Amino acid sequence: MRIRPWIISCCLLPFVAALLYGARPSTVVEARANGNDTSWDVQLNEMNYLIMKTSSVNLIRGLHLSKNQAIQLKVLADSVAKVLPEIPDSKGKCDNSLKPTRTAFTKLIKKLEIGEDISDSLKKEVYAARQLEAELIKLSLIGAQQPLYEEEGCLQCHAIPARYKQFNGAGLEPKTVTPAVRIETDRAHIYGVLGEEASALLWMLKDEVISILSNSQQSVLKDFRCCLMPSTSLSGPERIGQAASNGDWESYLIEIRTLSESAWENYKPLYLYPIEEIMRATLPGIRKKEIEKRIDAVSVIITEARALNRMDFELQKEDLCERLRKAISSETLSGEAFRSSDERNFLSALFLLYFGSSNIYKQLISSYEN
């Protein structure tokens, strides 16, 4: 089977800017004051920072900005850089369970920053690291939901490894996240990485950032999702930074269509298992019933695709691929589907003016001058 789950975009937990002002800053912001903190709070925020960093670089490079646009965005990025807190850094002293993820993401970012191609081996390493991190996040959520558990800051929702390793999490699922809890969670993630001052400034700059972009670039931003890997094809600019292109799904369907009925029945679980892996990596803590619902939807689409003759499949393949993408979407669960235009603009500003973005713009400007 040639479908490669590591090429699917990996979304981090959502960030909602609604009610941004007045939210209580994360304790990790205060904990960074001495510059030597390597607590579990910092380790969690470091993972958050690394994933967001990949999305930032992929988005900036994928928008194909003009020189003038890069110059304008660099000015704004420089202003944000002045109020950004220290980057969450565990100084490498992270828990053993997070070291593979930290190592893989760091290697990926170095490649992305200088515009180098990502090898298949590194893609596989990154995806495996993301899967591992997703499972650890799930366990930390379950650990924090055990009886008599009481903590503050990030630990309120994410138990330290020593805590969640005390029990067998097999078969356990995190509690369903309500909209109210989701708002508090999103605030914590924003402040955990950006701090209060930078978050407020990004909110103020969001409309100015959007005004710099062309209508087509703004359209791309509307559909942009957080990701780890850069785009592998220019044929789908709306998928900037997200290699889960229709071409990938097309290959998946074409291979399945070559199987006989008996072979399909025998190997069906092998084709559906990567879909489950993708969803678990995309949204840590997704409940089993939600996965089953989406797997059922994928099965229906596959059945339709297998029943089509060659000509009809060619005519309908783009629609089938788009339906597959939507079938495994977690947007309604993550809150992505309910964001206002202001919230989406805030997220666009966040990724375009993120840590280190000024250096990327400097590279782009220089490339136009050479």
Side-chain angles (χ1 to χ4, degrees), residues 53 61 74 77-78 113 356-364:
K53 177 69 174 180
R61 291 197 180 281
K74 184 180 183 302
D78 287 339
E113 286 184 318
S357 58
S358 181
N359 290 331
I360 305 299
Y361 293 126
K362 184 177 179 180
Q363 289 179 35
L364 291 177

Side-chain angles (χ1 to χ4, degrees), residues 110-123:
K110 288 181 179 178
K111 294 285 188 181
L112 294 176
E113 286 184 318
I114 59 177
E116 283 193 3
D117 291 336
I118 310 302
S119 66
D120 285 349
S121 61
L122 180 55
K123 289 178 182 178

